Every structure is written in structure tokens, then in C-alpha cells.
Amino acid sequence: MRPFIARLARQTGQSGWVANTANGLSIAIEGNADLQQQFLYHLNNDAPPLAVIASQTISQQPLAHFSDFQIKASAVDGKQSAFVLPDLAICPDCLSDMLNPQSRFYRYPFTSCSHCGPRYSIILSQPYDRDRTTMADFKCCTDCEHEYRAVDNRRFHAQTIACPHCGPALQLLDHEGNTLTENDVLLAAGDYLRAGKILAVKGIGGFQLLVDAANQDAIDRLRIRKHRPQKPFALMVADLTAAQALCFINDSEQQALSSYAAPIILLKRRNGTPFADAVAPESDLLGVMLAYSPLHHLLLHDVGAPVVATSGNRHNEPICIDNDQALEQLAGIADYFLMHNRPILRPLDDSIVRLIGDNITVLRRGRGYVPTPITLKSALPDMLAVGGQLKNTVAVSHGKQILLSQHLGDLDSAATQQQFDTTIADLHGFYQIKPIKIMHDLHNDYASSHSAERLAHSVNPPLKTAAVQHHYAHILSCMAEHNLEPPLLGIAWDGSGLGSDNTLWGGEFLRLHTNGFQRYAHFRPFALPGGYKAIQEPRRAALGMLYETLADRAFDRNGLGFSEPELQLLRSALSKHINCPRTTSVGRIFDAVASLLGLCQINHYEGQAAMALENCAAKAIQSNAFYDFKITETEPLVIDWQLMLEQLLEDIINPALVITDNPFGLSPSALLRTGLSKPHETSPSTSSGRTVFRALIAAKFHNTLAEIILAVAKRAGEKSVVLSGGCFQNAYLVEKAVGKLKTAGFTVVCHEKIPPNDGGLALGQLYATKYIG
């Protein structure tokens, strides 16, 4: 904004100054009154693309007789602004300079200007000036200094300006840390990629692992070394044209893909694409991002083909940001290292978004989005929220702003917990926040909850702590994002979260009021044999649902891949209620149905079964058919899924579509109504026949969930409905449910800027203080 304002003042004949202050941007202008109105008009209507004027105050002051217009030194008074830019993808002008042989920035991998380049990942402290960034050690050469001072140059006051003579430099090393002497390390790195080698690249927010997307053997080696057997990889491509060759992209998706945030976006893949099957096995969706840094553009230009780009980390650990750290931790994964000498201060994974309904929804919030604040209508005291156990983020409140950290990951490893502590300390220091209270999840065994108590007692006197129920926090996170107030009906569906009654919730309908929430309805609970193992093995959730309705007869149907000794142990555990917690989780119901359809018996990564079921449903011909269900009359209402399960099992053994891998080995029964259009004329024993068969059932299951949402919403009687929780990352489910609710006259609100999964819990925990103190 400062360079833009300086140019605008010059164009409208104004003298004065502009400066960063703790309260935002301060401007003083003196000049012709009519021209001042022009200045204000252009300030509000022609600001840079990423500029957002949250509020504006104008006052008249005595004349100061300024001689010119200046960008003054930033005011440092101990107070910190909540408005800090995220890291910005390279702009078209800098890209053009970098590819122009006549430019002094030709093939320079750290080209930037006032419109692009790293921001949050390199800022030591506020306000944003070069000497407070990791660029401070790179003294500008004469040419860069001249452009930095030239008002009409787009690098005017660009804090990251640098060139080959004065800026950061690349280095290429082998897996043992030996520096390779190459005439052009970028060309050499491209050659290694084309040769099937795994390259660790130091990007904007941390290291990435890159490999040729068409090389099956190279991707298989990456999977083995990274202990990632099946979870899909994302692809990085050179430009929009390359992305369109791989996937179907509509206008909203194109806008997100090409934005300054440059996230990974989940897209519908085209058939016959040239990348290896190992990139995204058994998935119709493909994660795609455009090259967003100068370094990435040059690599993609030299390779001439898409590359797999995944986080540079060990399994379940944070991404590496330091050169020595990467050489130590990634030596067993990468064959070569392309690194540079500009330090990264904060690890920022690539963000992930998806089009759900009509909105681009953030699923993982990192580079490009963090640290953009959520602005509330009223201020909160300084507080800290520590989120949950999975997909952890932490958050601090600062006046009317809530600042949510970048995605930190699951708090299962010591390294991630250490990064969790570092991030909290960084937020406190960066924004000069001294929390008076710490909010955490109701589940006291979460690592984040333990940390909340530890942090509270690390000061004297100890800080207050408060627990917020998991699903209540989910709903509140969506409310905070959209500045909503109760009363409303919140629907929170996910894998699990500790309920107020000390059982595992996950299929919840909550009525929110100004003093908290009421559990209005939930799904009928069932047992999860093996507890945590049932999260890893969808077949256990299936067995738990079958046992709920069939008791011991469930064990007569061994089509879930259990051995006889396993079945004996499970029979004993279920009958004696040993390590078989009961849950209302819709996430586990998704797992169970995926297992019953033979789509997934073991989860190799979180959400694999649910994703497979959604992917299957998306293949079905359009239908509004759904299964039957019952709802009790007394509150909290209980949604009984038994009829749905029985009818779904009947559909599985429908003799019109018998499949050779019938998961229960049952003989066909009489033809049962499905309410679905006639399937394609194909033999049910063929792969395509099984696909159609499963797709019809999967779609019918999703339709049933949407009908349940509508039925409960009608009974609850609230005009506004909020959807949150990991299950609402499912685009098929959201589109069906939202369509039914809106047709019935409800106002429906879903996540957009904040993940519906546990990545939004910390935001909801802070917002809870408005209602529960």
C-alpha cells in the first residue's frame, strides 16, 4: 500500500507522508481539496489487488507545509498490528522479467517486487521493513537500491528486492551433503528430476520433495521412503494451460488456482492423462497447484512436465525449514538437495482448497492464507486457544481480530508437539499478546489439552483455562468466520470428539443459544471394537454396526477380512464390552458403509474410506432415492439408522447386480426395490458392473444423510443452519444437504476461509468465550 499511496499522492499533487503504525496505515496529505477527493476515491477503488481497507478514519489537521511526499520510517511503539500479509505468489511482471534474457533478473530464482514474494515466512518482527526480515543480511546493490527509491518503479519500497549480484543464491548438494559444482544448478536439478531422482527443494514455507510425475518407479521409491503407501500426492504444473490438460476446471476453481495464495486445489481429473498411476491411486480427484515461486517456475520450465510436490518432512513430522535440518532428516528420502541461503522463520505447508457447492473451501490453511485474521464485530480480551489433537492449529485473539496459526499437523509426534510450542511462542511474541485465559478441547488426554494446563501454570499467578466441547467448537468456528450469532441449529459431523456425557460424539445436531448449546439430536450409538483400531480399520466400524442390530448373528457373515482368531477375540470383546467404546459418529458410519461395499477395509491415511465412498457416489447416475430411517420423538432425538443398514445390505445382495466379490458371501435374495434408474446394460460380474452397482448404493446412502439433515432441521424449527466438521469436506454430501435445506426455506452457512475439519477448532474455542465466559 505504501508505494501505491506515494504514487497516488504524486498523481494528485499531494504532499505529506505515509507510514506503518500499530493501528494500520497512517497518511497525511496536503494539497488542492478537489484533488484530495480524487486521492480518496482512488485509494478506496484502485488499491492493489490484495489490499483490504477494513476501516477508515479521516480528520482535518492544521497545515504542516510539507515540501514533498515521503514514505516515513515505520512507527515502532510496542503495539503490533494484526494485519500482516501472507506469502504471495510471483506476479506476471516479475515472471516476465525472469524469463526475459535482456532483464537483469533473467533466471534469477528470487525475483520479486512490491506486489509479490515472501512475507509472513520471513518477517522477524513488525512492522514489515527489510531490516526486520530475513532479507536484512542481503545489502542491496546500486541497481536494486535505485529501483527501491524510484517512485514509478513497481519495486519502489519492495522489501524483498534482490538480484544475482546482491540477493540469495542457490546451492545443489547430494544426499550426503556434498556441494555439487555445476555451471547452472537449476539446469542440473532439472536433469536429475528427468532422470527419476527425488529432489528436496527449499521453497517459500519450507522444503518440498519433488519427483517426475510420469515416472512410476520414482514415485514408488518416494512412497516407500516417505512411508506413504497410498495417500494421493499433489502435482505442480507450470501454468494454467498445463493444469487444464490434466483436470476439468471451472471459473471459480481457475480463480483460486491462479490467485496470489496459489493453493493446492482438488480437481476432477481427466482420463488418459500422462502422469503415473501412483500419483493418486484410485482417486478421481487430483490435487494441483501452479508454480508459485520464481524457483518453481524455473524448475518446471526446465523439466517441461508436471512434478509431484509433497511436503519435505518425515512421516507425521513438521516440514523442514532449515538447511542443516533438511540434510539430516531428509537424507534417507531425497537424492539431491536444491537449497538457498535465505532463512525461513515459520514452516508453512501448501494450503489445500476444494470447490464445495458454490464456494471455494479451505481444507488446510497454510502458505498464502496465514496470517490473514478473522475479524469479529466486537473485541475479545487477549486469549490463547490450543485446538485439538488432529490437524492442529492454535489461535490468539487480539482486539476484534482472531489470528489462526498455520496447519501444524497431528500432535502424535514429539517433533510436532515441539513445533506446536514454538508456534504459540511465536504468536505471542509477534503480536505482543499476553493471554489472560487459555481455551482447550474437552478431551483432557489430547496433547493440546495437556499443553494448555502446562502453559497456564508456567506463569505466576497461573492463567485460567476453560474446556470447550469439540462439536460446539466446530459450529462456533463457522459462526466466527461469518460473524453469526445464535439462535441457530448447528450440525457437526466428524470422526469423533468427546461429548459432554463423556462418550464419543460425532453425529450431532446442536441448538445454539446465548448461554451455550443444547444437544437436540444425534445418531444411534454403536460400538467400535478395538477403540482406536476402529479408526484405522473401517471393517471394525462395519462389524460394530452389524453387531448393534444382529448381535452374535453378525459373526455368521465373515466377509470383512477378519481371520477366525480375530473374530473370536472381537466376539468376546463386543459381548463383554471390552475396549468397545460407543459412538454416534457419522464419520465411522461412512467407514462402515465403505467397508460393507468392499471399497476400503483398512485406512492407510485419515479419511481414505470416506473419500472412497464419496468418489464412488459421484459416479452414480442422478437419483433422489434414499433409505428409510426413524427418529425418536423425545429430546434429544435419536436418528435410528437400522432400517438404512438393513436396506443397504439387501441392495448389496440384489440378484440383478450380483458381484463376484460379495463382501458377505451370501446367496442372492429376491429382487428388491432400489428406487434408482436402471443401471447400464453390463454384466454384474465385470468391473464396470460392480462400479455402477456400488455407485448406486453409495449415492443412495449420501441421499439418506441429506434427508436426515432436512428432517431434523424441520423439527428443530430454527431458520438458520450451520454445517461443520470433517464430514462436510464431502462435496457430494454438502451439495445434496444444502440443496434440500435451501429448497425448504432454510438459510444455510458453510465454511469457506476456515477448514470445516479440526483445523478450525481453535477459532471456535476462542469464539466460545462470547457465550460461556
Side-chain angles (χ1 to χ4, degrees), residues 23 73 142 160 196 295 308 317 366 430 443 455 520 533 536 609 634 645 667 689 713:
N23 295 320
T142 302
T160 54
L295 176 56
V308 165
E317 293 191 1
F430 191 77
H443 202 308
L455 290 166
Y520 178 70
K533 271 195 171 183
Q536 300 172 314
T634 57
L645 180 63
S667 59

Short mmCIF file of all heavy atoms in Angstrom, two decimals, residues 23 73 142 160 196 295 308 317 366 430 443 455 520 533 536 609 634 645 667 689 713:
data_model
loop_
_atom_site.label_atom_id
_atom_site.label_comp_id
_atom_site.label_asym_id
_atom_site.label_seq_id
_atom_site.Cartn_x
_atom_site.Cartn_y
_atom_site.Cartn_z
N ASN A 23 -1.63 0.90 14.49
CA ASN A 23 -3.06 0.91 14.19
C ASN A 23 -3.35 0.69 12.71
O ASN A 23 -4.51 0.75 12.30
CB ASN A 23 -3.68 2.23 14.65
CG ASN A 23 -3.61 2.40 16.15
OD1 ASN A 23 -3.81 1.44 16.89
ND2 ASN A 23 -3.31 3.60 16.61
N ALA A 73 9.65 6.32 8.01
CA ALA A 73 10.02 5.11 8.73
C ALA A 73 8.84 4.63 9.56
O ALA A 73 8.06 5.43 10.09
CB ALA A 73 11.22 5.38 9.63
N THR A 142 23.72 -1.30 -6.11
CA THR A 142 23.37 0.03 -6.60
C THR A 142 22.10 0.00 -7.44
O THR A 142 21.21 0.85 -7.29
CB THR A 142 24.53 0.61 -7.43
OG1 THR A 142 25.71 0.66 -6.61
CG2 THR A 142 24.21 2.03 -7.90
N THR A 160 11.68 -7.05 -0.39
CA THR A 160 12.39 -8.29 -0.76
C THR A 160 13.20 -8.14 -2.05
O THR A 160 13.67 -9.13 -2.61
CB THR A 160 11.39 -9.45 -0.94
OG1 THR A 160 10.38 -9.06 -1.88
CG2 THR A 160 10.74 -9.81 0.38
N GLY A 196 14.64 -39.28 -12.89
CA GLY A 196 13.93 -40.08 -11.91
C GLY A 196 14.43 -39.94 -10.49
O GLY A 196 14.07 -40.75 -9.62
N LEU A 295 11.61 -19.82 -8.24
CA LEU A 295 12.37 -21.07 -8.28
C LEU A 295 11.54 -22.19 -8.88
O LEU A 295 12.02 -22.96 -9.74
CB LEU A 295 12.83 -21.42 -6.87
CG LEU A 295 13.57 -22.75 -6.69
CD1 LEU A 295 14.79 -22.81 -7.59
CD2 LEU A 295 13.96 -22.93 -5.22
N VAL A 308 5.47 -34.22 -9.09
CA VAL A 308 4.88 -34.43 -7.78
C VAL A 308 5.56 -33.45 -6.83
O VAL A 308 6.78 -33.29 -6.85
CB VAL A 308 5.11 -35.88 -7.31
CG1 VAL A 308 4.83 -36.00 -5.81
CG2 VAL A 308 4.23 -36.83 -8.09
N GLU A 317 5.74 -35.66 10.85
CA GLU A 317 6.54 -34.61 11.45
C GLU A 317 6.38 -33.32 10.65
O GLU A 317 5.94 -33.34 9.50
CB GLU A 317 8.02 -35.02 11.53
CG GLU A 317 8.27 -36.17 12.49
CD GLU A 317 9.75 -36.38 12.75
OE1 GLU A 317 10.58 -35.62 12.21
OE2 GLU A 317 10.09 -37.31 13.51
N GLY A 366 -2.56 -22.78 5.14
CA GLY A 366 -1.13 -22.57 5.34
C GLY A 366 -0.64 -21.42 4.48
O GLY A 366 -1.19 -20.32 4.51
N PHE A 430 5.20 -12.21 18.25
CA PHE A 430 5.00 -11.46 17.02
C PHE A 430 3.90 -10.40 17.18
O PHE A 430 4.01 -9.29 16.67
CB PHE A 430 4.64 -12.42 15.88
CG PHE A 430 4.67 -11.79 14.52
CD1 PHE A 430 5.86 -11.54 13.88
CD2 PHE A 430 3.49 -11.45 13.88
CE1 PHE A 430 5.90 -10.97 12.63
CE2 PHE A 430 3.51 -10.87 12.62
CZ PHE A 430 4.73 -10.63 11.99
N HIS A 443 -11.57 -32.89 25.77
CA HIS A 443 -10.83 -34.14 25.94
C HIS A 443 -9.49 -33.85 26.63
O HIS A 443 -8.58 -33.29 26.02
CB HIS A 443 -10.58 -34.81 24.59
CG HIS A 443 -10.31 -36.27 24.66
ND1 HIS A 443 -9.34 -36.81 25.50
CD2 HIS A 443 -10.86 -37.34 24.01
CE1 HIS A 443 -9.31 -38.12 25.34
NE2 HIS A 443 -10.22 -38.47 24.45
N LEU A 455 1.01 -24.64 30.06
CA LEU A 455 1.25 -23.23 29.77
C LEU A 455 0.59 -22.33 30.81
O LEU A 455 1.15 -21.30 31.20
CB LEU A 455 0.71 -22.89 28.38
CG LEU A 455 1.47 -23.50 27.19
CD1 LEU A 455 0.66 -23.37 25.91
CD2 LEU A 455 2.83 -22.82 27.04
N TYR A 520 -29.63 -31.34 20.62
CA TYR A 520 -31.01 -31.52 20.18
C TYR A 520 -31.25 -32.92 19.58
O TYR A 520 -32.31 -33.51 19.80
CB TYR A 520 -31.36 -30.46 19.13
CG TYR A 520 -32.76 -30.59 18.58
CD1 TYR A 520 -33.86 -30.30 19.37
CD2 TYR A 520 -32.97 -31.03 17.27
CE1 TYR A 520 -35.15 -30.45 18.88
CE2 TYR A 520 -34.25 -31.17 16.77
CZ TYR A 520 -35.34 -30.88 17.57
OH TYR A 520 -36.61 -31.03 17.08
N LYS A 533 -8.29 -48.68 17.07
CA LYS A 533 -8.09 -49.52 15.89
C LYS A 533 -9.25 -49.42 14.90
O LYS A 533 -9.08 -49.63 13.70
CB LYS A 533 -7.90 -50.99 16.30
CG LYS A 533 -6.46 -51.36 16.59
CD LYS A 533 -6.29 -52.87 16.63
CE LYS A 533 -4.81 -53.25 16.71
NZ LYS A 533 -4.63 -54.72 16.67
N GLN A 536 -8.62 -46.91 12.30
CA GLN A 536 -7.68 -47.38 11.27
C GLN A 536 -8.29 -48.46 10.37
O GLN A 536 -7.87 -48.61 9.23
CB GLN A 536 -6.42 -47.94 11.94
CG GLN A 536 -5.68 -46.93 12.80
CD GLN A 536 -4.56 -47.57 13.60
OE1 GLN A 536 -4.74 -48.64 14.23
NE2 GLN A 536 -3.40 -46.94 13.59
N ALA A 609 -11.41 -44.17 3.61
CA ALA A 609 -12.66 -44.88 3.33
C ALA A 609 -13.76 -43.91 2.93
O ALA A 609 -14.51 -44.14 1.98
CB ALA A 609 -13.08 -45.69 4.54
N THR A 634 -38.69 -37.99 21.57
CA THR A 634 -38.27 -37.23 22.75
C THR A 634 -36.85 -36.71 22.57
O THR A 634 -36.01 -37.35 21.94
CB THR A 634 -38.33 -38.13 24.00
OG1 THR A 634 -37.51 -39.30 23.79
CG2 THR A 634 -39.76 -38.56 24.27
N LEU A 645 -29.44 -49.48 7.30
CA LEU A 645 -28.45 -50.55 7.20
C LEU A 645 -29.06 -51.81 6.61
O LEU A 645 -28.46 -52.46 5.74
CB LEU A 645 -27.86 -50.83 8.58
CG LEU A 645 -26.80 -51.93 8.64
CD1 LEU A 645 -25.59 -51.56 7.81
CD2 LEU A 645 -26.40 -52.23 10.09
N SER A 667 -26.04 -65.81 -0.43
CA SER A 667 -26.75 -66.16 -1.65
C SER A 667 -27.76 -65.06 -1.97
O SER A 667 -28.30 -64.42 -1.08
CB SER A 667 -27.49 -67.49 -1.48
OG SER A 667 -28.39 -67.38 -0.39
N GLY A 689 -19.56 -53.23 -14.08
CA GLY A 689 -20.82 -53.56 -13.44
C GLY A 689 -20.76 -53.34 -11.94
O GLY A 689 -21.68 -52.81 -11.32
N ALA A 713 -33.80 -30.71 10.84
CA ALA A 713 -33.89 -29.24 10.77
C ALA A 713 -35.34 -28.78 10.83
O ALA A 713 -35.66 -27.78 11.49
CB ALA A 713 -33.21 -28.74 9.50
#
